[in-house]
Amino acid sequence: MNQTLIMEFLLLRFTESQILLRLYAVLFSLIYLVSIVENLIIILLTILDQRLHTPMYFFLRHLSFLDMCLISATVPKSILNSITFTDSISFWGCVLQVFLVILMSGSETGILTAMSYDRYIAICRPLHYEVVMSKEVCVQLVFVSWLCGGAFGVLYSVGTFSLNFCGSTVIQQLFCDVPALLKLTCSMEHATINVSVAIGICYGFSCLVCIVVSYVYIFSTVLNISTREKQSKAFSTCLPHLTVVSTFLLTGAIAYLKPTSDKPSIPDLFMSMFYSVVPPTLNPVIYCLRSKDIKSALHKVLWTVERSGLMER
């Protein structure tokens, strides 16, 4: 059957038990709400507090927005299917899901690379920081990140859905995923998607090399600092970003580089879901726990809200 005749796909249901499906829906609904609230708080704080109008928090604001979009691309549909006990997703809904996941993942990789460059300039070349990390440069780095993510989103979507799909329409995954979709195609040649994957690997590897090189210079500079206090301050600004990078790249690599099976296990399904759930949920927590500026801004906003409430009474 040609892919133009396919009106919908069927997503995999991880269990047939309605009780477990309800528990799954409740659990991931809570995780989704927590993630959205956390990232919204980061965005609002970095906009409202003048002290957070710096390049680092400018990138963090965009990272939080990307995290909200990434988790929103997959989790709500999975929750809805669990509540209604259905498995279907429309053809164009599947196209949109693939596009958004690749767009947000590619853009987030670029933003994380820009953040590592920002930390490198701040610690290794502090006297040139304001000149090098000007507002124009920050905007350009964010624009390039979004551009790369958008280009990969288009390439992967066009490459995947230009193929012919035959037989089964059951995607062996909890959301529309490129490796799982390729299992359903009957096209012998995957030239477009193969080229897209090759370019994506080069892009991801290039970003990883840039991040690693930045942190090699950062740690060598920090270890040469004479005072423990300055060392601690430098590490406190770098460790959250390094943790976020490790979490995002590790979960993404496991989800996309592990061999795909015809009948994935429950751990495989959850690992793929965690790829779009864990980073968006943990990133705000990691940055808030390690950033005194974020905690100070949050306390200031809460104090202002509490004070205004008392005045109204």
Side-chain angles (χ1 to χ4, degrees):
M1 178 169 53
N2 190 283
Q3 61 94 14
T4 55
L5 299 179
I6 294 179
M7 301 302 295
E8 66 176 17
F9 290 100
L10 297 177
L11 297 174
L12 189 64
R13 184 184 299 180
F14 86 97
T15 180
E16 294 299 324
S17 170
Q18 293 189 1
I19 295 176
L20 290 178
L21 282 176
R22 289 192 179 97
L23 289 175
Y24 168 89
V26 171
L27 174 62
F28 276 83
S29 295
L30 292 174
I31 293 174
Y32 177 69
L33 290 175
V34 168
S35 177
I36 294 297
V37 170
E38 288 175 340
N39 285 289
L40 275 176
I41 289 174
I42 295 290
I43 292 172
L44 291 175
L45 289 179
T46 54
I47 291 175
L48 296 176
D49 197 313
Q50 293 293 327
R51 294 172 300 175
L52 302 183
H53 289 184
T54 62
M56 181 174 68
Y57 294 109
F58 174 76
F59 294 130
L60 180 58
R61 180 162 64 246
H62 284 271
L63 181 67
S64 294
F65 179 75
L66 286 168
D67 281 337
M68 282 200 309
C69 295
L70 178 59
I71 196 171
S72 297
T74 58
V75 174
K77 178 60 179 176
S78 182
I79 294 172
L80 179 63
N81 281 5
S82 298
I83 294 173
T84 57
F85 305 111
T86 58
D87 307 318
S88 64
I89 182 171
S90 68
F91 177 84
W92 291 109
C94 195
V95 173
L96 181 62
Q97 203 170 61
V98 169
F99 172 75
L100 290 176
V101 169
I102 300 299
L103 165 63
M104 301 308 159
S105 301
S107 301
E108 187 157 334
T109 302
I111 293 292
L112 291 172
T113 307
M115 293 176 76
S116 69
Y117 178 69
D118 171 74
R119 291 300 83 205
Y120 160 73
I121 298 297
I123 294 173
C124 300
R125 300 176 60 189
L127 298 178
H128 302 90
Y129 183 74
E130 292 186 2
V131 176
V132 176
M133 298 304 297
S134 63
K135 184 177 180 180
E136 292 75 17
V137 171
C138 294
V139 171
Q140 289 172 6
L141 289 173
V142 169
F143 175 76
V144 170
S145 299
W146 276 95
L147 185 65
C148 290
F152 284 120
V154 172
L155 280 173
Y156 276 69
S157 300
V158 171
T160 302
F161 293 98
S162 62
L163 303 174
N164 293 328
F165 294 95
C166 307
S168 175
T169 58
V170 179
I171 300 173
Q172 300 294 320
Q173 196 53 270
L174 296 173
F175 61 94
C176 289
D177 194 21
V178 174
L181 284 165
L182 292 179
K183 286 282 186 179
L184 306 181
T185 181
C186 57
S187 298
M188 298 302 295
E189 296 183 0
H190 303 166
T192 305
I193 193 65
N194 288 339
V195 170
S196 301
V197 170
I199 297 174
I201 291 174
C202 291
Y203 171 72
F205 182 74
S206 300
C207 290
L208 179 61
V209 169
C210 291
I211 293 170
V212 171
V213 170
S214 295
Y215 274 97
V216 168
Y217 279 106
I218 288 171
F219 287 137
S220 63
T221 301
V222 171
L223 292 175
N224 289 327
I225 297 176
S226 57
T227 62
R228 287 289 183 90
E229 184 180 351
K230 290 183 178 179
Q231 281 186 347
S232 178
K233 184 178 179 180
F235 277 123
S236 67
T237 62
C238 295
L239 290 179
H241 177 256
L242 192 57
T243 305
V244 168
V245 169
S246 303
T247 303
F248 180 73
L249 294 182
L250 179 63
T251 54
I254 292 175
Y256 271 83
L257 298 182
K258 65 178 176 61
T260 56
S261 57
D262 294 331
K263 292 184 178 180
S265 62
I266 296 298
D268 290 338
L269 296 177
F270 273 103
M271 180 54 66
S272 297
M273 179 60 75
F274 283 173
Y275 166 65
S276 60
V277 172
V278 173
T281 306
L282 287 185
N283 289 357
V285 175
I286 293 170
Y287 279 108
C288 286
L289 289 177
R290 299 293 302 183
S291 175
K292 293 182 180 179
D293 294 333
I294 289 288
K295 289 189 285 188
S296 176
L298 181 58
H299 290 155
K300 182 180 177 181
V301 170
L302 292 176
W303 168 250
T304 303
V305 172
E306 182 180 356
R307 187 179 179 184
S308 61
L310 290 173
M311 290 178 64
E312 288 180 0
R313 291 180 183 178

